[in-house]
Amino acid sequence: MSGHLNQPRTRADAKVMDRFNLTQRMVGKLKREEAVIGGIGWSNFDLWAVGHRPQNFYMLGSMGLAVPIALGVAIAQPARKVIALEGDGSILMQLGCLATVGARAPRNLAIIILDNGGYQITGGQVAASELGADIVAIARGAGITQSAWAADEAHFEELVDRALTEDGPWLIGCRINNNKPVATTERDPSLIRDRFMRGMGVKA
Amino acid sequence: MAGETRAWFEITRDVLRAHNVRLIPYVPDNVLRPLIALLEADPFFTVFTCTREEEAVGIACGAWMAGTHAMVLMQTSGFATLPNVLASLPVPFQIPILLMVSERGTLGEFNIGQTLVARTMRPALDSLAMEHHTLSRVDEVEFIIERSIRQAVATHQPATFILSPLLTGGKVF
């Protein structure tokens, strides 16, 4: 990702985009049954709204664990690409997992951070990400060297293409607006788990 | 089992191997050292440290759903950080991960913080209706772990093993 590492250099330089639109663009690129772990709240609501895939896992609670769950999937199935879709508030709760990803360096893992600078689902309180905490810089510091802010939608697609075809780990930071999600994920944990395991080829 | 000559950590390794429990994410603990060393020396296992116990539980859950069974290692104070993720991930999603907790806070503890937090462990497990067993005798280790792994997988529920100082000698001062 050498051509993009410093483009844009900081969160402030990245375009503010739309969560549903980015999620649609990302899902549209998944042709090889890639796994997607959707973090709690609006991150996985829009993943659901784009259209259910058997390889999608939707969290209910356990805030901050999208990246660890995705890392577990990536370790168990090294031939499959795995994407963690996580919010800024969620990843701020579990920053240590970035160090674990940096240390393990899973080649098949990509992390997409949807950063709206706040806790929108609880009423829009400001998060540290809005006040100077640059998650891409934190990820680089944690050892995930292939970390970048998406400059705009076209650049986001370019980064996702690379993450799906080249060795990771990757972290793609996306600034997003505060638009509400398009739908709400069906809240049935055992069904979500069962469908995901079938999507992973673990259950027939 | 009678006349058991192996140490608790050797039995644990053997049972995990026999049941194809390959992934061991952990947060370090002194009492767990011999088990960690045995597992790290065996290429059958993938063993690594995590920054928090919650993270290790997330990794174990993801791995199970993608076909690899995992056991998380931690000490009592680490377990105390877990109720929220247990209540929102392995229990409701029915994921049979295994937890092994080295018990501090009792039978000669020197740190009052450990004694206090240790008292929250079994009530937390009970209130989540999570299967748990305390391992205190070496001749029972194989039976308890082996049967509990079978039960966890058959019932789609996590299981917890608590290592008593009666078994391990604990941490002394």
Side-chain angles (χ1 to χ4, degrees):
Chain A
M1 197 141 75
S2 53
H4 297 297
L5 274 178
N6 296 313
Q7 180 205 348
R9 284 177 57 239
T10 67
R11 180 179 184 277
D13 297 330
K15 179 183 172 187
V16 176
M17 299 177 279
D18 177 76
R19 186 193 321 97
F20 182 74
N21 179 276
L22 290 180
T23 308
Q24 255 182 332
R25 288 170 189 264
M26 184 271 290
V27 171
K29 292 182 174 296
L30 306 179
K31 310 290 186 202
R32 297 181 180 177
E33 302 191 347
E34 294 87 346
V36 183
I37 309 301
I40 59 160
W42 292 3
S43 304
N44 84 50
F45 289 4
D46 269 343
L47 178 65
W48 169 265
V50 166
H52 175 67
R53 306 162 58 246
Q55 296 81 24
N56 287 358
F57 181 78
Y58 312 94
M59 288 165 57
L60 288 160
S62 65
M63 183 167 173
L65 291 193
V67 172
I69 294 169
L71 176 59
V73 174
I75 291 169
Q77 298 201 6
R80 188 191 300 273
K81 288 281 186 182
V82 184
I83 296 172
L85 199 57
E86 187 66 297
D88 52 329
S90 287
I91 194 68
L92 286 169
M93 190 175 270
Q94 201 71 238
L95 286 175
C97 73
L98 296 176
T100 305
V101 169
R104 303 273 325 151
R107 292 189 296 183
N108 55 332
L109 179 66
I111 301 164
I112 296 176
I113 301 295
L114 301 167
D115 180 346
N116 55 13
Y119 300 93
Q120 286 307 320
I121 202 168
T122 53
Q125 298 85 357
V126 172
S129 42
E130 186 68 23
L131 304 170
D134 184 309
I135 290 160
V136 167
I138 291 168
R140 281 191 208 140
I144 307 175
T145 54
Q146 299 181 122
S147 299
W149 285 105
D152 54 23
E153 287 84 354
H155 187 215
F156 172 73
E157 291 205 19
E158 206 176 309
L159 292 170
V160 173
D161 283 339
R162 297 198 64 179
L164 292 176
T165 52
E166 298 176 25
D167 282 351
W170 302 82
L171 184 137
I172 304 170
C174 305
R175 289 192 69 184
I176 58 163
N177 60 31
N178 293 321
N179 285 355
K180 293 217 155 126
V182 171
T184 303
T185 308
E186 185 182 7
R187 294 186 173 99
D188 188 338
S190 53
L191 182 66
I192 291 169
R193 193 257 310 148
D194 184 78
R195 289 195 294 215
F196 182 70
M197 289 180 77
R198 292 175 200 278
M200 291 298 97
V202 169
K203 291 179 84 172
Chain B
M1 283 173 275
E4 179 62 63
T5 56
R6 296 169 297 170
W8 67 268
F9 43 88
E10 293 167 320
I11 300 168
T12 301
R13 183 240 358 236
D14 293 347
V15 179
L16 294 178
R17 250 181 167 281
H19 287 271
N20 210 20
V21 180
R22 290 174 176 270
L23 183 64
I24 316 288
Y26 72 97
V27 179
D29 172 73
N30 205 42
V31 168
L32 292 165
R33 258 170 65 190
L35 176 62
I36 293 165
L38 259 192
L39 299 176
E40 277 181 339
D42 186 338
F44 178 84
F45 298 100
T46 300
V47 186
F48 60 92
T49 54
C50 296
T51 63
R52 288 179 67 79
E53 293 78 5
E54 292 185 328
E55 189 197 331
V57 166
I59 291 167
C61 289
W64 167 260
M65 293 191 289
T68 295
H69 207 176
M71 183 161 84
V72 178
L73 311 180
M74 72 197 84
Q75 64 170 262
T76 332
S77 52
F79 177 85
T81 68
L82 287 181
N84 178 56
V85 300
L86 296 175
S88 55
L89 188 58
V91 174
F93 282 90
Q94 300 187 296
I95 302 174
I97 59 163
L98 309 172
L99 309 178
M100 182 169 272
V101 187
S102 152
E103 185 174 28
R104 285 194 56 180
T106 186
L107 298 173
E109 179 58 57
F110 51 86
N111 178 342
I112 189 172
Q114 290 281 355
T115 67
L116 294 169
V117 79
R119 291 175 196 139
T120 69
M121 177 165 57
R122 290 178 182 84
L125 287 161
D126 289 336
S127 61
L128 288 165
M130 277 180 64
E131 185 80 6
H132 64 89
H133 292 278
T134 299
L135 308 182
S136 53
R137 292 172 53 104
V138 73
D139 60 343
E140 293 178 352
V141 171
E142 181 164 27
F143 189 89
I144 291 174
I145 298 181
E146 125 96 18
R147 290 296 178 95
S148 299
I149 294 175
R150 285 179 190 276
Q151 179 173 326
V153 172
T155 60
H156 308 280
Q157 285 296 326
T160 301
F161 307 110
I162 300 167
L163 300 173
S164 167
L166 289 167
L167 178 75
T168 63
K171 187 172 179 180
V172 290
F173 59 98

